[in-house]
Structure formats: structure tokens, C-alpha cells
Amino acid sequence: THMSTASAAAAATAAPPAPLPVPPPPAGSASAEVPVQHASRPIVVGSCAYWRGKEAEESKSHEWTVYVRAASPDEDPGLFIKRVVFQLHPTITPSTRTVEAPPFEVTEQGWGEFEVGIKVYYHGGERAVDFSHLLKLYPEAEVAGSPARELSIDRPVVAEKYDEIVWAEPSAELRARLSEADKHAPEKGWRSSKHAKWFCTFEPEPQEAEMKACYERITQELRAASRRRIEMEEEIRQLRAEPAD
């Protein structure tokens, strides 16, 4: 999970340093004393790879699509995603592909699996977030210990990962765009994608619970570090205030 946090710290010479900034907690968390200002959006990074059959050229045995999509089929990701840059294998020309509008995807043909670098840029001046996705062409065993299923032209190999982007202090523009994205727009979602029937479904509740637990751990660590910093600065001031022998 990725957090986009913008903060500035000013060091004063006379006054004690301010505690380390603590990000605002997610809705429903125990740290309710900090105003909730964050915003979040689930996305899915994945790929669909289709075997082209025994008659295909060996170097083009598969046709694959790597993509970034919304978790919801009726959401327009273009409202909050500005562009996506895909970094493909250097043997593919051009190896860098920039997609400025949904669907945020790249389709190619090839024979090998490799790591795809993905950088997602957001509207509102928010910093970009990097992802890495392993392009899978060959099926794995669906049950541990069992043989992998055979290649089939009727069923692609799908590899997807659910993630959630969290902005601690999103800009006014991004907030407005996220609010607009909450209004379902089926015509701009992925229901009409030719890959839609193969997309995975993700249950949000376990994902949210995991994120909240992670957030609480990070918050506690930041607060502990802030307390230690203040204590150390106080000790240093006291040592400096002691008269020299």
C-alpha cells in the first residue's frame, strides 16, 4: 500500500523542535484525536495473457495486456489518474509506453515473462506512485501439489494485485475529482473490456482491516520516535545549561 504524504518541518533555534508529523488516521481508527483529512482509492494492477496456439510464431506465442484499472467496474479511473507510464522489457520497441487516458493498458505479443515497471500519475499535483508487476504467461498449479493446468487458447493467464492509494492531504482538485469518481459511470468503467470476464474480484473488508492495522503500527512508531526525539533534545539542552567546572 502506498501513502502520498506532503509535510514541511521548520527547525527553530530557540524553541524546541516540533514532534515528528503523524499522518491522520483512517475512518474508524482508534486515533480519533487527529482530524481525518486523508482520501483513498483502490486500484488493481494486473495482466491478461492469451496463448495464441501451436500455429503461432515461437517469438509471439502469447498476446498479453498489462493494465491499471479501478477496483469498481463502474468507476472512471481517468478522473483521478492523469497518466500511466509502463516500462516494458528493453527488447520491446518502444520499451516505454505512456497512456494518457483510460483504459490504462498496453497490449503486445511475445514469448517471455518479465517485470513491468509502472508509474501512476495523479491529478491535482500529487506525487506519482511506482508499482512493479510480473507479467505471467504460463499457468501455475491452482492447488498446491497438483500439476499446472495446460495452456489453452480459451482461457488466459491472469495475474492481478489489489492496492489502495492513500493521500494524507489531497489537493482540492483531487478531492473534487474523487468525489466525482464516486458517481458511477458504467460507460467509462471496465465492464465493456474484452478482459472483464477474467478480472478478479476483491473483497474490500479484509483489505481495509489490513490497511488500518498497518496504519496503526506506523502511527505508533512515529509517535514513539517523536517522543524519543523530544526527550533527547531536552537532555541536550540540560547538558548545555550545566555550568562548566
Side-chain angles (χ1 to χ4, degrees):
T1 304
H2 305 262
M3 286 191 178
S4 175
T5 308
S7 62
T13 55
L20 292 174
V22 177
S29 73
S31 307
E33 69 273 16
V34 182
V36 176
Q37 298 178 349
H38 79 287
S40 63
R41 189 64 50 173
I43 63 171
V44 177
V45 177
S47 59
C48 279
Y50 300 83
W51 182 50
R52 301 180 64 223
K54 296 180 180 180
E55 303 302 319
E57 295 179 35
E58 185 177 354
S59 63
K60 297 181 179 180
S61 61
H62 290 75
E63 179 169 295
W64 50 261
T65 300
V66 61
Y67 49 82
V68 175
R69 66 175 177 87
S72 167
D74 298 323
E75 185 173 73
D76 177 10
L79 286 172
F80 56 94
I81 296 179
K82 188 174 184 179
R83 67 180 178 275
V84 178
V85 178
F86 296 88
Q87 191 62 50
L88 308 178
H89 195 274
T91 58
I92 299 175
T93 305
S95 59
T96 301
R97 309 288 179 90
T98 300
V99 184
E100 303 278 356
F104 297 104
E105 63 184 34
V106 170
T107 299
E108 273 290 351
Q109 293 181 350
W111 60 271
E113 299 179 340
F114 60 91
E115 203 80 25
V116 181
I118 301 171
K119 185 181 283 287
V120 182
Y121 294 82
Y122 301 95
H123 288 286
E126 304 293 336
R127 72 174 179 85
V129 176
D130 291 300
F131 298 88
S132 181
H133 175 73
L134 177 60
L135 174 65
K136 299 288 294 181
L137 304 186
Y138 301 96
E140 298 178 346
E142 296 181 351
V143 179
S146 65
R149 66 178 176 85
E150 295 183 356
L151 285 169
S152 170
I153 60 174
D154 299 319
R155 182 181 176 186
V157 174
V158 180
E160 291 193 321
K161 180 182 178 182
Y162 174 101
D163 212 324
E164 188 156 353
I165 308 302
V166 179
W167 299 276
E169 296 179 0
S171 65
E173 178 188 349
L174 182 60
R175 279 191 173 279
R177 286 177 169 275
L178 291 174
S179 178
E180 187 66 23
D182 288 334
K183 304 172 184 177
H184 286 183
E187 71 282 1
K188 296 184 178 180
W190 49 256
R191 287 186 189 275
S192 59
S193 168
K194 70 175 184 178
H195 313 294
K197 64 181 290 187
W198 305 112
F199 286 164
C200 303
T201 56
F202 297 92
E203 296 296 332
E205 289 79 8
Q207 304 287 344
E208 290 174 3
E210 182 180 349
M211 284 193 62
K212 285 184 178 181
C214 179
Y215 175 87
E216 293 294 343
R217 288 195 299 270
I218 295 173
T219 300
Q220 290 172 10
E221 291 173 3
L222 283 173
R223 286 176 175 160
S226 178
R227 286 194 296 269
R228 288 195 298 270
R229 179 188 173 197
I230 293 174
E231 291 170 358
M232 291 177 64
E233 292 291 341
E234 180 61 28
E235 290 178 7
I236 292 172
R237 282 194 296 274
Q238 290 178 3
L239 289 172
R240 288 176 176 173
E242 290 179 0
D245 293 336

